[in-house]
Amino acid sequence: MAEIIQKDGTWVFDGDALRLTPGRDKNVSLFRKTLGELVVPLGALAGVSFEQGKKAGRLRLRLRDGADPLLHATGGRLTEPHDPYQLIVESDRYGVAEYFTDEVRNALLLDEVPADPVDQYLLPGPSVPLSFSAGDGTAGFDGEHVRLEWNWKTEDAKAAAGARSLPLTDITAVEWHPAAGLENGYLRFTVRNAPTKAPPKYDPNSVELWGFKKDPLMALVAAAVQARLPHPTAPVAASAPQDDVAQDHDALLRRLRELGELHRTGVLTDEEFTMAKQAVLKRM
C-alpha cells in the first residue's frame, strides 16, 4: 500500500483502487470538500504524474476518457483548485510522492491497464439527492427528477413559469460551463423534443451562473445527472415503441405552448419564434 498525507488531502493506493480524500485545510475548495472522498478503480486510470516546484509539487491523475461522469459533464473546465484529481505536495514530501507515483505506474503495467477510452462509466458520480443554490436559481436532483427553482434575481419572463420538474427520462444532455471573464456560465438541461436557442438567462431549463464561490457546486448536479444518462458511446436506439411516440407527440405540443409563451413575453424574437416553431412542427 502507498499513502501520501498532505494539507490538501490524502491519497491511498491499495493495489486495486485509489482513495482520494480532500483535506480540511482552509485552502481546499468548497467544491472538493462537498464532493468528498472518491474511490477510483485502477482500471479507470490512464496515467499518473508528479511535477516538482520550488515551494510545492503536484500529483496528477489522468483518467481514461469516458470513465468518470464528472469529467464528462464538466468537459475539462474544472480549474485547478476544484480538480479532485490533483494533489498539492509540500517540498519535504517529494520522495513520498515519487514513491506513490512509481507504485501506481507499476500496478498499471502489471495489470496491463489500457489507456484507451471506455464505453461505460467506471465511477458512480456524486450521490443523490443533492441540491445547490447559485446564480439565478436552485438545482436539485433526486435520481429521477431535476427540479429548478428561481430566486429574486431571475429574469421575470423566466421566473413567470414557476419551478420546473424535469423527469430524467426527458433529459437528453446536460452542460455545465463556469463563468469566464465577462461571460456568465450556466447549467443547462437539454430536454427531449424541446430545442431552444434562448440564452441561459431566459432558458427555463437553465441556471445562469455569475462566477461566485458556489457556482462550481452546480457541476455536481450535472455529474449526478450525467451518470444516469446513457454513456456517450452507447448506441442510439433505431426506433421507438408506440407509447414513446405518443409521449413525444405530447411533449412537442407542450413545447409549442412554451414557445408561444416565450414569444408573447418578448424572450424570443419573431424570427427566433418562427424558426423554433418550424423545427417542432417538422418533428411532428
Side-chain angles (χ1 to χ4, degrees):
M1 185 178 77
E3 179 181 63
I4 180 166
I5 302 174
Q6 295 291 277
K7 293 179 181 179
D8 194 40
T10 298
W11 285 14
V12 179
F13 177 55
D14 64 5
D16 295 318
L18 292 99
R19 190 176 299 273
L20 316 179
T21 306
R24 297 182 179 180
D25 187 75
K26 64 180 181 179
N27 293 322
V28 177
S29 75
L30 176 62
F31 175 84
R32 286 178 57 205
K33 289 180 179 179
T34 305
L35 176 61
E37 185 177 81
L38 289 175
V39 177
V40 183
L42 184 65
L45 283 184
V48 58
S49 64
F50 174 58
E51 305 161 4
Q52 293 189 16
K54 291 183 179 180
K55 295 183 178 180
R58 196 176 297 271
L59 267 171
R60 299 179 190 267
L61 296 180
R62 183 166 58 88
L63 271 62
R64 298 170 66 186
D65 289 344
D68 183 14
L70 173 63
L71 293 183
H72 183 80
T74 55
R77 292 178 289 269
L78 276 177
T79 55
E80 285 191 355
H82 310 304
D83 187 346
Y85 300 116
Q86 298 187 31
L87 181 71
I88 297 175
V89 179
E90 298 166 15
S91 58
D92 61 348
R93 291 292 182 271
Y94 281 0
V96 178
E98 291 172 345
Y99 171 75
F100 187 94
T101 302
D102 288 342
E103 286 293 292
V104 176
R105 284 178 176 171
N106 289 338
L108 289 171
L109 289 173
L110 289 173
D111 284 24
E112 298 182 343
V113 177
D116 54 344
V118 295
D119 57 5
Q120 61 180 335
Y121 293 123
L122 301 180
L123 280 84
S127 301
V128 296
L130 42 72
S131 178
F132 302 109
S133 296
D136 67 352
T138 298
F141 181 52
D142 62 5
E144 296 182 356
H145 292 81
V146 170
R147 183 169 177 82
L148 303 176
E149 299 178 340
W150 314 117
N151 57 38
W152 63 274
K153 295 170 284 188
T154 310
E155 279 291 321
D156 292 343
K158 180 175 173 178
R164 305 275 290 168
S165 181
L166 307 176
L168 181 63
T169 52
D170 285 351
I171 297 173
T172 59
V174 56
E175 301 173 79
W176 173 82
H177 283 256
L182 298 177
E183 184 178 350
N184 291 337
Y186 59 86
L187 170 66
R188 187 197 297 272
F189 299 94
T190 302
V191 179
R192 192 184 312 278
N193 299 321
T196 179
K197 294 183 178 180
K201 183 176 183 179
Y202 301 108
D203 182 3
N205 297 326
S206 298
V207 177
E208 188 179 36
L209 305 173
W210 300 319
F212 297 129
K213 184 178 180 180
K214 291 186 178 180
D215 280 9
L217 299 181
M218 288 295 189
L220 298 180
V221 178
V225 173
Q226 184 66 57
R228 291 160 178 81
L229 294 178
H231 193 272
T233 63
V236 179
S239 60
Q242 190 63 34
D243 289 346
D244 290 346
V245 173
Q247 291 175 6
D248 288 347
H249 185 76
D250 291 342
L252 291 173
L253 291 176
R254 290 196 301 271
R255 184 56 184 162
L256 282 175
R257 289 193 289 269
E258 291 176 357
L259 289 172
E261 179 64 19
L262 291 172
H263 181 238
R264 186 184 67 79
T265 56
V267 174
L268 295 178
T269 65
D270 292 344
E271 182 181 358
E272 290 172 338
F273 172 67
T274 300
M275 291 178 60
K277 183 176 71 172
Q278 288 176 348
V280 174
L281 292 175
K282 185 176 180 180
R283 287 177 177 270
M284 294 178 69

